[in-house]
C-alpha cells in the first residue's frame, strides 16, 4: 500500500460557547474516525482544528457577560479543548486565532492578495448604530429572513432555513446593540470579486478539473455539497467584503485601514494554516508539505452551513494567493436534531459535551457510537435519549461486549487465560475465517467514502459473526468430548476478538484500548486485522466489561434536565 500525506481539518469552533452533540456529529467525530483510520493504515496525517476567536458573535457574547472578548475566548477555548480531548477527539493541534502567529499569517495572506490586486476597494453605505456610534457587523443586525420569513435572521445567515444572507436583504433590520433601526452611513472596504473566479470554480466543482489537470473526482462529493455550490454559481457570484469595521480581530495591515479588521470568513480558514505552522514548529515538520505539496490531500470536515465558505470563498483565496493545494473533498454533514426539535444554544435545548462526560463517566464510546450510528450524513437526523440507551444496551452491551466477554471468560475457565492452539479446520471454520478476512477492507472502503454509519454497521456485523459462531459451535458443550475442536473454536473466536480490537479504534478508541489490554496485544495496525493476530499459547488478561448497561433512571434524569432547559 502506498503511504500518502493528508491535511484534515475540522471547522474551527466559535469560542463563544460550549460544545454540544450537534457540533460533534457534524464536523468533529466524522473527522476523528477518518483520521484514526488513516493513521491505522500508516498514512501521514495532520489533523487541524482550533478556536475561531474573532467575529461579531464573540463581541456580542462579551457584551452580554460584561467581560472582554479576550476573557470570553480564553474561557471557552479551554473548556472546549478539554472536552474534545476527554471525548477522544485526537487533533494534531487545537490552536486559536487570537494567537500572534495566526495574526501574522492572516496579515501576510492579506498583503499578498492586496499586492496581486485580488481585492477591489470601494466605498458603500453600511448599517450604523447611532446610539452606540459604530458600524454594525453582520451578526449585530437581525431581521426577517427574505427567503423563509423567519424572524431573528442574522445579517449573514438565517439559522432557520440555513441560507446565506447579506444585511441589505433583511426585512425590517434592527441593531442587536440598541434594538433600534440602524441608519446607513458610508464606509470603505476591501472586496473579493468572486464573479471573476466563476469559470474555474465551475470546472473544479463540476468536473474536478483544475488548470487543465484532473484534481479530484466530483462523484465522491456529497450531493448536498455539489448542489449548494452549483446553486451559488448558477445564481451568479458577487463581490463580498473581506474587511469589517470592528475593534476585535486581525487588523487590516495596509494604509487607511484604521478601525478595520479582516472579515472572520477570511481570517478563520487561514487559521487552519497558522495552526499547521504551529504544529509543524512543535513537531519538527515542514508545514508547507501539508499545504503546498500537490501530493497532499486536503479534506475539510464541516456542517452544511459552512459549505459556501469552504468550497467557494476559501478555494478562491487559496488559488488567488498561489502555491496552495485545494480541497479534494468537503464531506459536509447536515444537522442533528434533539428529541425531534432543532438544537438551540439560546434555549439551552442541547446536550453539552462537558456535562455528558460528567454524567456518564467512562462511557465516552457509548456516545461516540450513538452519534456515529445516527450521523446526519446526507440529511438532518434526530438524536433521542431512548435511542441512545437502546444502542448502548442492545448493541454495545448485548452484541460487541457480550461476544468479548464470552471468549475471554471461556479461555480463562478452560485454559487459565492461555489461548489454545488452532487444530484441524472444518468447512464452517474456514467459512468464518474467510468472512473475517474481508471485514477490514469492507469497513475501510466505507470510511474512505465518508460513509461512517455504514462502516460502523459493518463493524457490528463482525461482532455478530463472532456471536453466531459461538452459538452455532457451542464450545461449552464440546469441552468434555472434543478438546481439540474446542481449542480450535476458541482460537478462531480469539482472532475475531483481536480484529474487533483493531477495527473498533476509529469509532470507539477507549474500548479499543481496553480490549487490547484484555487481549494483551500491542504494536498492531489496520493491516493485521482479518488475519491471525494472536499466536497459540498467548496469555491474555482477565475479563472486564467493555460496556455497562444504562438504566432507565439515568435516561429519565437526562430527559428531566432537558424539560427544565
Amino acid at each position: 500500500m502506498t503511504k500518502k500525506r493528508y491535511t484534515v481539518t475540522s471547522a474551527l469552533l466559535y469560542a463563544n460557547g460550549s460544545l454540544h452533540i450537534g457540533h460533534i456529529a457534524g464536523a468533529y467525530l466524522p473527522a476523528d474516525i477518518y483520521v484514526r483510520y488513516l493513521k491505522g493504515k500508516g498514512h501521514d496525517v495532520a489533523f487541524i482544528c482550533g478556536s475561531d476567536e474573532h467575529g461579531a458573535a464573540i463581541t456580542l457574547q462579551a457584551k452580554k457577560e460584561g467581560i472582554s472578548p479576550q476573557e470570553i475566548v480564553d474561557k471557552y477555548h479551554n473548556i472546549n479543548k478539554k472536552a474534545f480531548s476527554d471525548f477522544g477527539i485526537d487533533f494534531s493541534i487545537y490552536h486559536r486565532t487570537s494567537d500572534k502567529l495566526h495574526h501574522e499569517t492572516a496579515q501576510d495572506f492579506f498583503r499578498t492578495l492586496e499586492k496581486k490586486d485580488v481585492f477591489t476597494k470601494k466605498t458603500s453605505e453600511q448599517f450604523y448604530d447611532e446610539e452606540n456610534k459604530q458600524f454594525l457587523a453582520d451578526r449585530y443586525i437581525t431581521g426577517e429572513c427574505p427567503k423563509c420569513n423567519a424572524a431573528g435572521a442574522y445579517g449573514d445567515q438565517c439559522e432557520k432555513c440555513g441560507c446565506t444572507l447579506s444585511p441589505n436583504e433583511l426585512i425590517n433590520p434592527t441593531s442587536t446593540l440598541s434594538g433600534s433601526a440602524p441608519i446607513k452611513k458610508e464606509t470603505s472596504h476591501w472586496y473579493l470579486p468572486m464573479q471573476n473566479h466563476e469559470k474555474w470554480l465551475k470546472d473544479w466543482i463540476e468536473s474536478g478539473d483544475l488548470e487543465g489537470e484532473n484534481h479530484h473526482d466530483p462523484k465522491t462529493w456529497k450531493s448536498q455539497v455539489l448542489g449548494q455550490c452549483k446553486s451559488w454559481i448558477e445564481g451568479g457570484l458577487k463581490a463580498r467584503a473581506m474587511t469589517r469595521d470592528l475593534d476585535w480581530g486581525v487588523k487590516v495591515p495596509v494604509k487607511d485601514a484604521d478601525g478595520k479588521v479582516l472579515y472572520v470568513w477570511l481570517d478563520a480558514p487561514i487559521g487552519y494554516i497558522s495552526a499547521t505552522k504551529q504544529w509543524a514548529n512543535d513537531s519538527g515538520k515542514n508545514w508547507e508539505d501539508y499545504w503546498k505539496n500537490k501530493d497532499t490531500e486536503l479534506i475539510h470536515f464541516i456542517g452544511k452551513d459552512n459549505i459556501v465558505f469552504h468550497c467557494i470563498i476559501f478555494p478562491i483565496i487559496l488559488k488567488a494567493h498561489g502555491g496552495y493545494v485545494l480541497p479534494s473533498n468537503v464531506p459536509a454533514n447536515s444537522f442533528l436534531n434533539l428529541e425531534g426539535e432543532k438544537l438551540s444554544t439560546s434555549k439551552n435545548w442541547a446536550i453539552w459535551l462537558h456535562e455528558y462526560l460528567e454524567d456518564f463517566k467512562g462511557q465516552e464510546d457509548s456516545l461516540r457510537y450513538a452519534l456515529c450510528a445516527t450521523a446526519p450524513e446526507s440529511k438532518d437526523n434526530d438524536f433521542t435519549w431512548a435511542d441512545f440507551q437502546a444502542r448502548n444496551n442492545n448493541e454495545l452491551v448485548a452484541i460487541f461486549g457480550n461476544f468479548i466477554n464470552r471468549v475471554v471468560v471461556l479461555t480463562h475457565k478452560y485454559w487459565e487465560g492461555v489461548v489454545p492452539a488452532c487444530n484441524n479446520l472444518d468447512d464452517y471454520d474456514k467459512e468464518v475465517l474467510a468472512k473475517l478476512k474481508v471485514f477490514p477492507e469492507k469497513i475501510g472502503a466505507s470510511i474512505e467514502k465518508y460513509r461512517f454509519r455504514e462502516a460502523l454497521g459493518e463493524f457490528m456485523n463482525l461482532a455478530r459473526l463472532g456471536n453466531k459462531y459461538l452459538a452455532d459451535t457451542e464450545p461449552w458443550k464440546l469441552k468434555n468430548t472434543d478438546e481439540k475442536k474446542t481449542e480450535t473454536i476458541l482460537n478462531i473466536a480469539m482472532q475475531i476478538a483481536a480484529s474487533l480490537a483493531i477495527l473498533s479504534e476509529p469509532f470507539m478508541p477507549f474500548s479499543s484500548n481496553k480490549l487490547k489490554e484484555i487481549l494483551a496485544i500491542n504494536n498492531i495496525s489496520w493491516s493485521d486485522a482479518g488475519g491471525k493476530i494472536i499466536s497459540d499459547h498467548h496469555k491474555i488478561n482477565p475479563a472486564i466489561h467493555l460496556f455497562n448497561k444504562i438504566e432507565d433512571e439515568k435516561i429519565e434524569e437526562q430527559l428531566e434536565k432537558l424539560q427544565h432547559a
Side-chain angles (χ1 to χ4, degrees), residues 514-526:
K514 215 188 277 188
L515 182 47
K516 285 171 190 169
E517 282 173 25
I518 294 168
L519 302 180
I521 52 175
N522 49 38
N523 298 324
I524 47 174
S525 66
W526 194 272

Side-chain angles (χ1 to χ4, degrees), residues 49-66:
C49 194
S51 294
D52 177 358
E53 301 186 341
H54 299 136
I58 305 292
T59 52
L60 279 170
Q61 187 70 22
K63 281 180 191 291
K64 200 186 290 179
E65 295 193 22

Side-chain angles (χ1 to χ4, degrees), residues 414-430:
Y414 297 156
W415 300 288
E416 296 180 337
V418 176
V419 177
C422 187
N423 304 306
N424 295 330
L425 303 175
D426 63 23
D427 288 345
Y428 187 40
D429 299 330
K430 288 173 186 171

Side-chain angles (χ1 to χ4, degrees), residues 447-517:
I447 290 175
E448 286 173 22
K449 289 173 188 158
Y450 312 104
R451 295 178 186 162
F452 302 109
R453 290 170 65 168
E454 183 179 273
L456 186 64
E458 286 295 349
F459 170 81
M460 287 306 289
N461 284 340
L462 176 55
R464 287 186 180 96
L465 174 73
N467 274 320
K468 185 176 185 309
Y469 179 61
L470 287 182
D472 290 346
T473 55
E474 299 181 310
W476 46 89
K477 286 186 180 175
L478 284 175
K479 176 71 171 69
N480 295 327
T481 58
D482 195 341
E483 177 94 11
K484 290 287 183 195
K485 186 63 201 166
T486 312
E487 288 176 352
T488 299
I489 293 166
L490 265 298
N491 185 290
I492 290 171
M494 195 57 73
Q495 306 312 329
I496 295 173
S499 280
L500 287 167
I502 296 168
L503 301 175
S504 61
E505 204 271 342
F507 311 102
M508 297 171 277
F510 300 95
S511 306
S512 171
N513 286 338
K514 215 188 277 188
L515 182 47
K516 285 171 190 169
E517 282 173 25

Side-chain angles (χ1 to χ4, degrees), residues 351 355-356 359-360 385 553-563:
I351 296 169
E355 288 185 6
Y356 172 88
D359 293 346
F360 292 86
W385 279 114
E553 303 82 69
K554 194 92 172 161
I555 297 303
E556 281 156 21
E557 275 172 32
Q558 295 303 319
L559 289 168
E560 186 74 15
K561 190 193 278 192
L562 272 179
Q563 293 315 317

Side-chain angles (χ1 to χ4, degrees), residues 106-397:
Q107 288 177 327
D108 284 348
F109 229 89
F110 187 91
R111 282 191 204 97
T112 300
L113 295 172
E114 170 72 353
K115 280 178 193 160
K116 288 187 163 194
D117 293 325
V118 172
F119 300 127
T120 54
K121 189 181 177 189
K122 63 179 182 181
T123 301
S124 64
E125 288 192 327
Q126 306 234 328
F127 286 115
Y128 185 84
D129 187 313
E130 288 183 288
E131 274 181 55
N132 288 277
K133 294 189 170 39
Q134 74 174 75
F135 284 98
L136 295 171
D138 301 346
R139 284 263 152 176
Y140 282 124
I141 310 162
T142 61
E144 188 182 315
C145 174
K147 309 277 170 67
C148 74
N149 300 112
Y154 289 106
D156 59 351
Q157 189 175 55
C158 172
E159 297 201 336
K160 181 84 188 290
C161 69
C163 73
T164 304
L165 299 170
S166 75
N168 290 318
E169 294 176 277
L170 290 177
I171 300 162
N172 300 323
T174 304
S175 165
T176 59
L177 297 182
S178 61
S180 307
I183 63 162
K184 289 283 191 76
K185 190 173 174 179
E186 279 196 346
T187 184
S188 297
H189 283 292
W190 283 258
Y191 284 75
L192 178 66
M194 297 196 291
Q195 65 275 15
N196 297 351
H197 303 267
E198 270 183 24
K199 186 180 183 320
W200 76 259
L201 266 176
K202 188 172 165 59
D203 288 346
W204 178 66
I205 286 164
E206 293 185 6
S207 312
D209 294 334
L210 185 65
E211 295 173 340
E213 288 181 21
N214 184 255
H215 178 264
H216 66 270
D217 180 2
K219 290 192 195 76
T220 65
W221 285 38
K222 293 187 180 186
S223 58
Q224 64 179 352
V225 176
L226 291 174
Q228 206 178 120
C229 292
K230 286 176 185 176
S231 169
W232 258 66
I233 293 167
E234 283 161 15
L237 297 179
K238 299 175 181 68
R240 194 177 185 112
M242 291 291 116
T243 56
R244 290 288 187 270
D245 291 295
L246 269 178
D247 56 3
W248 175 252
V250 177
K251 307 291 181 209
V252 177
V254 292
K255 272 186 194 173
D256 307 322
D258 287 351
K260 298 187 193 296
V261 298
L262 300 189
Y263 173 41
V264 71
W265 272 112
L266 171 65
D267 152 29
I270 295 168
Y272 298 139
I273 298 167
S274 57
T276 309
K277 284 183 178 179
Q278 187 62 60
W279 167 74
N281 287 345
D282 297 342
S283 316
K285 307 251 188 189
N286 176 6
W287 75 269
E288 292 189 336
D289 287 342
Y290 297 87
W291 281 96
K292 295 187 169 186
N293 188 315
K294 280 190 174 180
D295 293 333
T296 295
E297 281 215 40
L298 174 62
I299 315 283
H300 296 308
F301 282 87
I302 55 167
K304 68 179 178 183
D305 51 337
N306 289 344
I307 288 171
V308 167
F309 303 106
H310 286 79
C311 296
I312 292 180
I313 297 176
F314 192 39
I316 288 174
I317 289 162
L318 290 173
K319 188 170 182 294
H321 183 288
Y324 282 83
V325 296
L326 299 194
S328 53
N329 212 314
V330 183
N333 269 0
S334 292
F335 296 144
L336 188 72
N337 297 323
L338 172 60
E339 300 289 346
E341 290 181 40
K342 187 173 178 178
L343 279 155
S344 170
T345 55
S346 58
K347 295 175 187 167
N348 201 27
W349 187 258
I351 296 169
W352 304 102
L353 184 61
H354 67 284
E355 288 185 6
Y356 172 88
L357 293 168
E358 274 296 310
D359 293 346
F360 292 86
K361 282 192 164 52
Q363 291 183 293
E364 302 87 355
D365 283 345
S366 297
L367 183 58
R368 285 179 68 110
Y369 180 82
L371 289 178
C372 182
T374 56
E377 290 178 352
S378 54
K379 62 180 195 301
D380 291 358
N381 213 344
D382 195 36
F383 177 95
T384 68
W385 279 114
D387 181 70
F388 164 78
Q389 181 188 24
R391 288 188 186 280
N392 181 82
N393 295 353
N394 304 338
E395 295 171 25
L396 292 179
V397 174

